[in-house]
Amino acid sequence: MEKLLIGLDFGSDSVRSVLVTENGEQLATCVHNYARWAEGRYCDAANNRFRQHPLDYLEGVEAVIKGALKGQDASRVAGIAIDTTGSTPCAVDRDGTPLALKPEFADNPNAMFILWKDHTAIAEAARINEYAANWGGTDFRIYEGGIYSSEWFWSKILHTLKVDPEVRAAAYSWVEHCDWITGELAGRTEPLTMVRSRCAAGHKAMWHASWGGLPSEEFLAGVDPLLAGLRDRLYTETCTADVPVGTLSPKWAAKLGLSTDVVIGGSAFDCHFGAVGAQIQPYELVKVIGTSTCDILVAPEIPQCVKGICGQVDGSVVPGLVGLEAGQSAFGDVYAWFKRLLGYAGDISLPKLEAEAAAIPPGSTGVMAVDWFNGRRTPDANQHLTGAIFGLNLGSTAPMVYRALAESTAYGARAIVERYRSEGVPVNAVAAIGGISRKSSFVMQLCADVFNLPIKVAAADQACALGAAMFAAVAAKVHPELAVAMEKMGSGFDKVYEPDPAAVPVYEKQYQRYLAFGKLLEQETMRHV
């Protein structure tokens, strides 16, 4: 009988599972919404604070695995693998227990996982960048685009250590969400021996083999004395996601009704596994389009350090290839913001708004937007930046503004394509996964027209979880290598958006206006920082 694989995808709002056979037949899926997150607990959007309680994750694991296995033969399950958002770090004690699971820290946001879109560490990121640029030693940012972000590992740790003495005193080490939840299932959470993801470490923690792992103690202590000594309580080695972490612990085997022989595969961030689920090929850009975007590309080798992206890491996506990551800090979140804004005037239907916006001819309204409503991730990370809408008058309508916002997200996406190309990395094709790619023909056609490239949409609803299942298959030796798992388990593509020849030149002019407005906005913003 065919072996079964489970892939788990931890997103911003929920965890999703997929149960598939070794030949890619999808048997079941299950979704669990984070209860505390749904209530808005521990978050403060006005101050860019977004925290998640580890209990939401633990409850989610149990719910979605049991849900997917309902009515199935659990004895056929060979492997489980997991992806998560990132960088989403958390302080842990000497045993690797997140501090928020201890009674004294149960309601302390600083003891919880700091979600990827938390921007409370802007000042700390600025300090890291300033010191890295001037200290005279190795620039540890070079493989991470040359700019360190407030969304990433060290910035968030330093901010927490500064603002919370109690957490600072109790924190022995720090873990990424993807490393901890995988280690939890395998019973391997001890910080010094926990298996650490190559993807998470290379893209967000300035890990690189050429300098022996993480940035040097001298560098970290120079950034801030609060970081002194932490390097020795973290890790040196990392693993690609095809390497098994271990097998299911007796505790979790009993909870889930599975065997302790089930292999736990390595972990990575959601967009990287999503690219694998979309059967990524060299020099093909896979766009994961949801509340934000993450753009993944793989190549046999990249001779130079690409500037302004979220890193290039050997094996972070496909073992044996260099993985490159870029993305936008807000995409669907921009549309959701506009809906909330209009909601004060009554019930608003986004599908109706989108339909009316789609009927407006390109370039006909004079309204232009810049998409940095949650800062700019790439090109060139800058979380000080904010969004803007230009060209409004008394005749401007909500559909006009919505169209301008949607166009701005497409222009921001094109800027990433252009950065890759300007750095000598070709983008030969584009594929898309994620909720917006499946739900919004309007936005996908916009992107095809703005890019002047066809965009194919993966057939899998849960491409990230499917990618996790592929890695589970390799870790469990159900398939000998990832290329075979991708071929056997892939779902293919079910739609292609072709550029509209009449719209392409209009959007080319509009894109140049977007760049000009963005430059002015950035200059004005940075004058006041």
Side-chain angles (χ1 to χ4, degrees):
M1 297 181 71
E2 287 185 304
K3 296 292 187 183
L4 305 184
L5 294 311
I6 297 175
L8 266 63
D9 169 38
F10 284 84
S12 297
D13 302 319
S14 62
V15 57
R16 300 164 285 274
S17 68
V18 61
L19 178 70
V20 296
T21 71
E22 61 188 83
N23 288 311
E25 180 187 358
Q26 181 175 297
L27 301 179
T29 63
C30 189
V31 178
H32 173 85
N33 294 311
Y34 307 137
R36 296 158 191 80
W37 173 262
E39 295 172 0
R41 294 164 66 180
Y42 314 119
C43 298
D44 180 358
N47 290 305
N48 292 308
R49 188 182 80 191
F50 298 96
R51 309 295 166 86
Q52 293 184 327
H53 202 289
L55 286 175
D56 274 344
Y57 300 155
L58 295 175
E59 293 165 3
V61 168
E62 188 169 359
V64 298
I65 291 181
K66 285 182 174 179
L69 287 173
K70 190 174 182 179
Q72 304 290 336
D73 182 358
S75 68
R76 294 168 58 196
V77 176
I80 300 171
I82 290 165
D83 69 68
T84 72
T85 65
S87 178
T88 301
C90 184
V92 296
D93 67 11
R94 184 64 180 82
D95 296 324
T97 301
L99 295 187
L101 293 179
K102 302 166 80 72
E104 62 270 33
F105 291 107
D107 293 309
N108 183 339
N110 295 320
M112 299 174 190
F113 283 87
I114 306 171
L115 190 63
W116 63 269
K117 68 178 182 178
D118 187 294
H119 290 165
T120 53
I122 289 177
E124 288 73 21
R127 170 57 184 164
I128 291 170
N129 284 310
E130 175 192 31
Y131 189 76
N134 295 292
W135 84 298
T138 300
D139 188 344
F140 295 107
R141 305 169 301 165
I142 58 172
Y143 290 102
E144 297 196 346
I147 302 172
Y148 202 73
S149 171
S150 64
E151 293 184 350
W152 298 349
F153 190 73
W154 293 107
S155 302
K156 290 173 172 176
I157 290 174
L158 181 55
H159 177 75
T160 306
L161 296 177
K162 278 185 173 181
V163 302
D164 198 318
E166 293 182 352
V167 169
R168 183 170 72 232
Y172 175 78
S173 189
W174 291 76
V175 295
E176 280 284 359
H177 179 193
C178 64
D179 294 337
W180 175 71
I181 201 71
T182 301
E184 170 68 22
L185 285 179
R188 296 189 60 182
T189 59
E190 200 279 327
L192 300 183
T193 58
M194 176 188 291
V195 176
R196 305 285 186 147
S197 162
R198 171 73 55 82
C199 171
H203 284 284
K204 311 300 182 187
M206 296 187 282
W207 181 96
H208 199 270
S210 66
W211 49 70
L214 295 168
S216 68
E217 172 68 16
E218 181 185 3
F219 172 81
L220 294 171
V223 169
D224 195 292
L226 291 175
L227 295 177
L230 180 55
R231 187 182 192 273
D232 290 339
R233 304 195 303 276
L234 288 166
Y235 55 91
T236 301
E237 301 299 323
T238 65
C239 290
T240 53
D242 57 328
V243 177
V245 169
T247 56
L248 193 62
S249 70
K251 178 182 78 172
W252 278 99
K255 279 187 177 185
L256 300 173
L258 291 169
S259 166
T260 55
D261 293 330
V262 173
V263 175
I264 306 301
S267 66
F269 291 148
D270 45 9
C271 49
H272 299 74
F273 273 13
V276 170
Q279 298 167 279
I280 191 170
Q281 299 299 311
Y283 302 112
E284 176 181 63
L285 189 68
V286 175
K287 295 185 62 62
V288 185
I289 309 177
T291 56
S292 65
T293 72
C294 196
D295 295 357
I296 301 296
L297 186 146
V298 296
E301 60 178 358
I302 305 292
Q304 78 282 9
C305 293
V306 179
K307 298 175 183 175
I309 63 170
C310 302
Q312 57 196 75
V313 182
D314 293 343
S316 65
V317 183
V318 175
L321 297 178
V322 179
L324 297 94
E325 176 192 342
Q328 293 159 269
S329 291
F331 199 96
D333 266 352
V334 176
Y335 314 153
W337 163 79
F338 190 57
K339 182 180 186 296
R340 290 195 304 274
L341 186 70
L342 295 182
Y344 289 103
D347 188 36
I348 301 298
S349 164
L350 270 185
K352 183 174 184 294
L353 192 62
E354 184 171 292
E356 293 178 1
I360 299 171
S364 64
T365 68
V367 183
M368 171 69 65
V370 177
D371 59 311
W372 302 329
F373 284 76
N374 196 27
R376 185 179 64 208
R377 181 180 296 158
T378 57
D380 305 317
N382 188 339
Q383 302 305 337
H384 289 290
L385 299 178
T386 56
I389 303 170
F390 302 91
L392 296 173
N393 59 42
L394 293 177
S396 300
T397 66
M400 288 180 184
V401 175
Y402 185 82
R403 184 180 183 95
L405 291 170
E407 289 172 346
S408 78
T409 57
Y411 300 144
R414 174 172 165 179
I416 293 168
V417 174
E418 298 300 335
R419 173 56 59 92
Y420 277 130
R421 288 173 169 169
S422 70
E423 291 285 306
V425 181
V427 176
N428 296 334
V430 180
I433 65 173
I436 289 177
S437 73
R438 308 280 308 162
K439 297 174 183 176
S440 179
S441 297
F442 168 61
V443 172
M444 296 312 299
Q445 186 62 53
L446 267 180
C447 288
D449 294 344
V450 169
F451 295 179
N452 194 19
L453 282 170
I455 300 178
K456 56 184 182 180
V457 178
D461 283 331
Q462 303 292 349
C464 295
L466 177 59
M470 292 174 179
F471 274 107
V474 178
K477 302 189 183 306
V478 173
H479 292 305
E481 60 182 1
L482 187 62
V484 176
M486 290 167 68
E487 178 185 356
K488 296 283 189 182
M489 301 171 68
S491 62
F493 301 86
D494 61 3
K495 192 171 183 67
V496 178
Y497 293 89
E498 297 284 350
D500 177 356
V504 167
V506 176
Y507 284 124
E508 179 61 37
K509 292 180 180 178
Q510 293 293 89
Y511 176 65
Q512 298 304 321
R513 289 186 68 210
Y514 164 86
L515 294 177
F517 277 125
K519 184 177 180 179
L520 289 172
L521 180 61
E522 184 166 12
Q523 289 173 344
E524 180 63 18
T525 299
M526 299 314 291
R527 280 201 318 116
H528 297 285
V529 171

